[in-house]
Amino acid sequence: MRTIERLTSLGLLAWFCCLSAEPVQGGKVLVMPVDGSHWLSMKILVKELSLRGHEVVVLVPESSLLIQGSDSYRTEVFTVSYSQQELDANFNELRKGIFVPPKSTDFLLDIQRLIDFTNLQVRGCESLLHNEALMSRLRAEGFDVLLTDPFLPCGSVLAHLFSIPAVYFLRGLPCGLDLKANQCPTPLSYIPKFYSGNTPQMNFPQRVKNVFFSFVESYLCKLLYANFDYLASKYLEDGMTYKELISHGAVWLLRYDFTFEWPRPLMPNMVLIGGINCAKKGPLPAVVWRYTGVPPTDVPENVRLMKWLPQNDLLAHPKAQIFFTHGGTHGVYEGICNAVPMVMFPLFGDQGDNVHRMVARGVAEKLSMLEVTSETVVATIRKLINDKSYKQKMVQLSQIHLDRPLQPLDLAVFWTEFVMKHKGAAHLRVAAHDLNWIQYHSLDVLGFLSLVLITVLVLTLKCCWFCTRSCFRKRTEKRKSQ
Amino acid sequence: MRTIERLTSLGLLAWFCCLSAEPVQGGKVLVMPVDGSHWLSMKILVKELSLRGHEVVVLVPESSLLIQGSDSYRTEVFTVSYSQQELDANFNELRKGIFVPPKSTDFLLDIQRLIDFTNLQVRGCESLLHNEALMSRLRAEGFDVLLTDPFLPCGSVLAHLFSIPAVYFLRGLPCGLDLKANQCPTPLSYIPKFYSGNTPQMNFPQRVKNVFFSFVESYLCKLLYANFDYLASKYLEDGMTYKELISHGAVWLLRYDFTFEWPRPLMPNMVLIGGINCAKKGPLPAVVWRYTGVPPTDVPENVRLMKWLPQNDLLAHPKAQIFFTHGGTHGVYEGICNAVPMVMFPLFGDQGDNVHRMVARGVAEKLSMLEVTSETVVATIRKLINDKSYKQKMVQLSQIHLDRPLQPLDLAVFWTEFVMKHKGAAHLRVAAHDLNWIQYHSLDVLGFLSLVLITVLVLTLKCCWFCTRSCFRKRTEKRKSQ
């Protein structure tokens, strides 16, 4: 009983007050968005964070495409070293190849256009970094978290400079840099490379193609991210790469799930929020048609021409039977959410690969923008309507997509708030970040163990040989002496 | 306008009824539990499924330790070829080594005891499989899902025989067979092997140790699962291994999260439900003490001896300051849930490794059951009370653990119902299951590409050599003729 007495005398069972969890009501969020369609879905999260009582500041370059002010968040406009015209020209250049028949050299031209585009964005970021007044005002605000799309580097650079955790909101990065930076295993044997045209079930030639594509990708990665590497190295740490910079992201909110993405390994800090853009549905007029040209005179009475229409509301209408889309991920998810089979015209960027996924799942047909005729359109429509499998598969996909324990928006808000509350998500960070390529694959260890094994083998053989020889020699000497 | 006319004449915008999602209210769940502590947390899910309107049937061997009937689920008792005494003796044998100082040969003895234990369970399973009346009755029931802990093989065998999807509920399997079977990447360079004593941050010798342990593990795996392989091969498909059998699991409900498990890759069908056993808290008397022996006479007045106490309720009491535990995962999570630092006495099974994790995180101290004295206990208690870091770290861990978008029980119910509704979770199954080891690592592709590279190199060199030689020969001939 001595132990019990000692315990009670120590006051073991005395009152001990728990430290209480720090609340984040009224946290401060700095947002560095990427312009264009990227902003359209991020805006949903930004507005929701604001609605839930957080103070949100959105950084907007003075020349921008879609980012605008709002009542629900504050904007900080910063001057950039390029004009609106220059931006528009640059963006148009990026889309230029779409309506021109492709040549073999177009591939490199596309890469060059993308590099020119990101180069301009890097210049914009440098304008911000040199804006000392704004930078010190932002630093002084004491933000809890930085929300950004790492498709462009400025957000990550700011998070590093201000020492605040970053939450990434994206569909993915060219070259799969998001997966590489986050140490997410991506076996080439069953995860199709971007634009390889492969599905997860690959035969030997397809797997060879996949590996070959990964070599090409590694090379392109260096070209594509040279600008970003320069930015990280110049403004943060000498020699720091962009991959290293974004590897510090606390949580990755990824705009896909496994109705779109092929099944693959995930990391603990990867949160799937595919379909976040399928917002609540509104009522619609009877029949609508998007048409931006001069209205023709012979439009049938049951067709209504409109310049802009709420795509998701339209798809949600029970009479929507086929969705014509270029295959951007927002549209793809609106198609999946509303279970509408698709006729797809991929234009540029990730769209070709997005379309491939949907066609491979049997819920879409692909048409080329350059070769399309009213005959092929009609034939495709007939096919999608008469062959019920398209609709059946799409309904199945949609049911799986919509059957989730939590809405993507709630999940995105939860994890952003989690990072604010706990000042990051260190418990989800794998130790692989501290290893180089050789260490990660245990090549040094395997080399060492092989060396040990070989040494032991050689020594054993030498011993045996020595013993046999001396034994033989003794016998010979014995015989000789006899 | 021809296209528009054609579209409308085709009835493109005509009404098309969506197929509705199939409801699973009143689904049928077959449960094949594992006895002992494994059952304690699975029972929580089983009861909840029943509460939510599903018909649940639990298979119980007539000789069992903790599994009992209940109002909330139906039980089907099956006869087994061993007696209750034989089971108890077998289980006691398994725990035998705990209070005896270890010898170097104990390691193999422990393995042998575990094999003897599982062997008995396999015999029990065979009794069930040969019980034709019960088997055909179960088959006729048309269950939607089978819920089991693959620590023992009978559940998976039944799921395969009845062609129903399986949901696995477990903390993990010896040798990491759960991860291997589910194709989850487990790099040896930063994921510590069981019982290696490593943490994710390993230096070179520790990484060598980790790789060495993995070799030993591979060998032990074969010994450990020989019984299960026999069962799968005999009753299902000739040559089928247990690993192959459980690779068909639709969803893996895993009783851990990253406050306990080291951060590591996950697969899409792995759902973390760590802390599912931290149920709602009940009121407690002022001070309690578990004591199963003859009550001593000199117990202080503020200590109440009890034979059995509700551990989680006790830990939830604000006066609970230190938790003495053997380090089973249920207890560990009750400690984490309630933010109580721990003094841990690992006994057998996974407990040594569990304790190592908690000690490495700075929220616990380990004591040996064989060497413990009241002095070491008192010194450890003093340490945990005086050094505030234990409590601080535990509070932090607890806050992270409790800060989740959905309760583990709700998540477990959701995914079980998902599998029932969608007849599995095929969209989460990776294509890696169809590849062998060489294909998975792309070794055949790399071999082929190397061969191509070498061939090209050799041919180029041969060409060069041939050209040089013929060029040289011509010159020599020319000189000769001159």
Side-chain angles (χ1 to χ4, degrees):
Chain A
M1 283 318 299
R2 241 184 102 222
T3 312
I4 293 183
E5 273 166 35
R6 280 187 155 225
L7 299 183
T8 44
S9 72
L10 266 167
L12 167 70
L13 305 167
W15 181 83
F16 192 104
C17 176
C18 285
L19 305 175
S20 66
E22 208 177 310
V24 271
Q25 284 158 346
K28 296 184 85 173
V29 186
L30 181 60
V31 183
M32 182 82 225
V34 166
D35 213 338
S37 64
H38 292 239
W39 169 240
L40 295 182
S41 50
M42 187 189 261
K43 195 169 62 177
I44 300 169
L45 174 58
V46 167
K47 286 192 168 176
E48 188 66 23
L49 284 170
S50 174
L51 269 177
R52 300 208 190 183
H54 302 292
E55 192 186 330
V56 183
V57 177
V58 181
L59 286 167
V60 190
E62 60 177 355
S63 308
S64 80
L65 298 167
L66 290 177
I67 307 171
Q68 286 167 341
S70 156
D71 290 341
S72 55
Y73 52 84
R74 206 173 95 208
T75 52
E76 282 278 1
V77 180
F78 61 95
T79 50
V80 287
S81 59
Y82 52 83
S83 65
Q84 184 70 44
Q85 282 148 311
E86 207 177 338
L87 176 71
D88 291 345
N90 192 294
F91 201 70
N92 285 333
E93 190 65 29
L94 193 65
R95 293 189 291 195
K96 211 171 188 174
I98 298 167
F99 298 98
V100 182
K103 288 177 220 149
S104 60
T105 51
D106 276 11
F107 176 63
L108 289 171
L109 203 67
D110 280 349
I111 300 281
Q112 192 50 52
R113 280 176 185 142
L114 189 58
I115 292 171
D116 290 346
F117 175 74
T118 55
N119 202 11
L120 197 77
Q121 301 289 328
V122 166
R123 271 172 55 202
C125 185
E126 287 193 286
S127 306
L128 173 63
L129 295 175
H130 287 289
N131 187 339
E132 282 176 25
L134 178 56
M135 283 295 282
S136 39
R137 204 164 70 240
L138 289 174
R139 190 190 296 271
E141 291 246 21
F143 289 102
D144 297 302
V145 70
L146 187 137
L147 178 67
T148 192
D149 180 341
F151 183 75
L152 291 177
C154 213
S156 315
V157 171
L158 288 185
H160 195 273
L161 277 176
F162 297 161
S163 302
I164 46 175
V167 169
Y168 293 146
F169 184 104
L170 67 159
R171 171 263 186 275
L173 295 182
C175 302
L177 194 74
D178 48 331
L179 302 168
K180 286 174 189 161
N182 202 31
Q183 300 287 352
C184 184
T186 309
L188 288 168
S189 50
Y190 73 93
I191 301 176
K193 274 284 141 194
F194 214 69
Y195 270 109
S196 64
N198 287 333
T199 65
Q201 283 75 29
M202 294 181 240
N203 57 25
F204 183 74
Q206 287 167 332
R207 288 195 292 114
V208 170
K209 189 181 178 188
N210 222 41
V211 171
F212 179 75
F213 266 59
S214 87
F215 290 147
V216 177
E217 195 190 71
S218 299
Y219 172 70
L220 289 181
C221 241
K222 284 203 182 112
L223 292 181
L224 271 176
Y225 291 106
N227 282 329
F228 297 3
D229 290 342
Y230 149 83
L231 203 67
S233 186
K234 182 172 173 190
Y235 293 92
L236 304 177
E237 283 166 33
D238 200 33
M240 183 184 246
T241 63
Y242 186 54
K243 183 179 151 193
E244 196 186 330
L245 172 60
I246 58 172
S247 77
H248 294 282
V251 163
W252 297 71
L253 303 173
L254 296 156
R255 286 198 292 100
Y256 55 73
D257 62 5
F258 295 107
T259 57
F260 172 74
E261 179 75 0
W262 307 117
R264 43 158 303 124
L266 296 169
M267 297 309 277
N269 61 347
M270 286 165 73
V271 179
L272 304 190
I273 54 161
I276 194 171
N277 53 312
C278 296
K280 288 126 203 155
K281 282 107 191 169
L284 266 188
V287 184
V288 289
W289 193 272
R290 188 183 182 220
Y291 196 86
T292 52
V294 180
T297 49
D298 57 345
V299 183
E301 280 203 3
N302 62 346
V303 172
R304 185 180 304 192
L305 299 185
M306 293 169 85
K307 229 176 179 175
W308 181 251
L309 46 87
Q311 186 169 278
N312 195 45
D313 295 343
L314 184 66
L315 289 168
H317 196 279
K319 288 186 184 173
Q321 203 170 149
I322 293 179
F323 176 27
F324 283 68
T325 174
H326 63 293
T329 45
H330 291 98
V332 167
Y333 267 107
E334 286 168 353
I336 294 175
C337 286
N338 297 296
V340 185
M342 301 182 273
V343 178
M344 308 181 88
F345 301 85
L347 302 179
F348 73 111
D350 59 349
Q351 294 156 13
D353 202 81
N354 300 344
V355 169
H356 162 64
R357 287 164 199 238
M358 290 298 106
V359 172
R361 288 181 188 272
V363 298
E365 278 293 322
K366 176 183 164 183
L367 289 177
S368 159
M369 205 59 182
L370 296 166
E371 296 158 11
V372 69
T373 61
S374 66
E375 279 70 29
T376 52
V377 170
V378 168
T380 311
I381 289 169
R382 273 193 209 280
K383 194 173 170 189
L384 261 72
I385 289 178
N386 295 334
D387 183 347
K388 302 287 179 222
S389 75
Y390 290 93
K391 181 71 183 179
Q392 275 164 7
K393 283 177 187 161
M394 194 46 138
V395 167
Q396 234 175 18
L397 211 61
S398 184
Q399 285 174 352
I400 287 171
H401 169 69
L402 295 174
D403 197 1
R404 51 201 172 202
L406 215 70
Q407 290 307 308
L409 181 56
D410 292 325
L411 209 54
V413 169
F414 171 83
W415 281 106
T416 311
E417 290 185 338
F418 185 99
V419 169
M420 292 163 83
K421 258 183 280 184
H422 304 282
K423 306 189 190 318
H427 73 299
L428 301 180
R429 185 177 171 80
V430 290
H433 288 290
D434 309 324
L435 303 173
N436 62 34
W437 188 81
I438 290 174
Q439 291 169 327
Y440 178 88
H441 292 284
S442 297
L443 297 181
D444 51 350
V445 172
L446 293 175
F448 171 76
L449 290 178
S450 306
L451 205 70
V452 169
L453 196 71
I454 289 168
T455 311
V456 168
L457 267 177
V458 166
L459 285 180
T460 312
L461 285 175
K462 280 223 165 179
C463 267
C464 289
W465 184 73
F466 182 77
C467 292
T468 320
R469 206 181 54 167
S470 57
C471 195
F472 185 74
R473 194 181 289 163
K474 269 183 195 163
R475 258 194 231 166
T476 319
E477 279 168 8
K478 213 175 172 185
R479 261 187 227 156
K480 271 183 187 170
S481 66
Q482 280 174 347
Chain B
M1 283 318 297
R2 241 185 102 218
T3 311
I4 293 183
E5 273 165 35
R6 278 188 156 226
L7 299 185
T8 44
S9 71
L10 266 167
L12 168 70
L13 306 167
W15 180 84
F16 192 104
C17 177
C18 285
L19 304 175
S20 66
E22 207 177 311
V24 270
Q25 284 159 345
K28 295 185 86 173
V29 186
L30 181 61
V31 182
M32 182 82 227
V34 166
D35 212 338
S37 64
H38 291 240
W39 169 241
L40 294 181
S41 51
M42 186 188 261
K43 194 170 62 176
I44 299 169
L45 174 58
V46 167
K47 286 192 169 177
E48 188 66 24
L49 285 170
S50 173
L51 269 177
R52 300 207 190 182
H54 301 293
E55 192 186 330
V56 183
V57 176
V58 180
L59 285 167
V60 190
E62 58 177 356
S63 309
S64 81
L65 297 166
L66 290 177
I67 306 171
Q68 285 166 341
S70 156
D71 289 341
S72 54
Y73 52 83
R74 205 174 95 208
T75 51
E76 282 278 1
V77 179
F78 60 95
T79 49
V80 288
S81 59
Y82 52 84
S83 65
Q84 183 71 43
Q85 281 148 309
E86 206 178 338
L87 176 72
D88 291 345
N90 191 295
F91 200 70
N92 285 333
E93 189 64 29
L94 192 66
R95 294 188 291 197
K96 210 169 189 177
I98 297 167
F99 297 98
V100 182
K103 287 177 221 151
S104 59
T105 51
D106 276 11
F107 175 63
L108 288 172
L109 203 66
D110 280 350
I111 300 282
Q112 192 50 52
R113 280 177 186 143
L114 189 58
I115 292 172
D116 289 345
F117 175 73
T118 55
N119 201 11
L120 197 74
Q121 301 289 328
V122 166
R123 269 172 56 202
C125 185
E126 287 193 287
S127 306
L128 173 63
L129 295 175
H130 287 289
N131 186 337
E132 280 175 28
L134 178 55
M135 284 295 282
S136 40
R137 204 164 69 239
L138 289 174
R139 190 189 296 269
E141 290 246 21
F143 289 102
D144 296 302
V145 69
L146 188 137
L147 177 67
T148 192
D149 180 340
F151 183 75
L152 291 177
C154 212
S156 315
V157 171
L158 288 185
H160 195 275
L161 277 177
F162 297 162
S163 302
I164 47 176
V167 169
Y168 293 146
F169 184 104
L170 68 162
R171 171 261 186 276
L173 295 182
C175 302
L177 194 75
D178 50 330
L179 303 168
K180 287 175 190 160
N182 201 30
Q183 300 286 352
C184 184
T186 309
L188 288 169
S189 49
Y190 74 92
I191 302 177
K193 274 283 142 193
F194 215 70
Y195 269 107
S196 65
N198 287 332
T199 65
Q201 282 76 29
M202 294 180 239
N203 56 25
F204 182 74
Q206 286 167 331
R207 288 196 291 113
V208 170
K209 189 181 178 187
N210 222 41
V211 171
F212 180 73
F213 266 59
S214 86
F215 290 147
V216 176
E217 196 190 71
S218 297
Y219 172 69
L220 289 182
C221 241
K222 285 203 184 113
L223 291 183
L224 271 176
Y225 291 106
N227 282 330
F228 297 4
D229 290 343
Y230 150 82
L231 202 66
S233 186
K234 181 172 174 191
Y235 293 92
L236 304 177
E237 284 166 32
D238 199 33
M240 184 184 245
T241 62
Y242 187 55
K243 183 179 154 194
E244 198 187 328
L245 172 60
I246 59 172
S247 78
H248 293 282
V251 163
W252 297 72
L253 304 173
L254 296 156
R255 285 197 293 101
Y256 55 73
D257 63 4
F258 295 108
T259 57
F260 171 74
E261 179 74 1
W262 308 117
R264 45 159 302 125
L266 296 169
M267 297 310 277
N269 61 347
M270 286 165 72
V271 179
L272 305 190
I273 54 161
I276 194 171
N277 53 312
C278 295
K280 288 125 202 156
K281 283 107 190 169
L284 266 187
V287 184
V288 288
W289 194 272
R290 187 184 183 219
Y291 196 86
T292 51
V294 180
T297 49
D298 57 345
V299 183
E301 280 203 4
N302 60 347
V303 172
R304 184 181 306 191
L305 299 185
M306 291 169 85
K307 228 174 179 177
W308 180 251
L309 45 86
Q311 187 168 276
N312 195 44
D313 295 343
L314 183 67
L315 289 168
H317 196 279
K319 288 185 184 173
Q321 204 171 148
I322 292 178
F323 176 27
F324 283 67
T325 174
H326 63 293
T329 45
H330 290 98
V332 167
Y333 266 107
E334 286 168 355
I336 294 175
C337 287
N338 298 297
V340 185
M342 300 182 273
V343 177
M344 307 180 89
F345 301 85
L347 302 181
F348 74 111
D350 59 349
Q351 295 157 12
D353 202 82
N354 300 344
V355 168
H356 162 64
R357 286 164 200 238
M358 291 297 106
V359 172
R361 288 182 188 272
V363 297
E365 280 292 323
K366 175 182 162 183
L367 289 177
S368 159
M369 205 62 183
L370 297 167
E371 295 158 12
V372 69
T373 61
S374 67
E375 280 70 27
T376 53
V377 169
V378 169
T380 311
I381 289 169
R382 273 193 208 279
K383 194 172 170 192
L384 262 72
I385 289 178
N386 295 334
D387 183 347
K388 300 287 178 222
S389 76
Y390 290 93
K391 181 71 183 179
Q392 276 163 7
K393 283 178 188 162
M394 194 45 139
V395 168
Q396 236 174 16
L397 211 61
S398 184
Q399 285 173 353
I400 287 171
H401 168 69
L402 294 174
D403 198 0
R404 52 199 169 202
L406 214 69
Q407 291 307 309
L409 181 55
D410 292 326
L411 210 53
V413 169
F414 171 83
W415 280 106
T416 311
E417 289 185 340
F418 185 98
V419 169
M420 290 162 82
K421 257 183 280 186
H422 303 282
K423 307 192 187 318
H427 72 301
L428 302 179
R429 184 175 172 82
V430 291
H433 288 289
D434 309 324
L435 303 172
N436 63 34
W437 188 80
I438 290 175
Q439 291 168 329
Y440 179 88
H441 292 285
S442 296
L443 297 181
D444 51 349
V445 173
L446 293 175
F448 171 75
L449 290 177
S450 307
L451 205 70
V452 169
L453 197 71
I454 290 169
T455 311
V456 169
L457 267 177
V458 167
L459 285 180
T460 314
L461 285 176
K462 280 222 164 178
C463 266
C464 289
W465 184 73
F466 182 78
C467 291
T468 320
R469 206 181 53 165
S470 56
C471 195
F472 184 75
R473 194 180 290 164
K474 270 182 193 162
R475 261 192 229 164
T476 319
E477 279 167 10
K478 212 174 173 185
R479 261 185 226 154
K480 272 185 186 168
S481 66
Q482 278 172 350

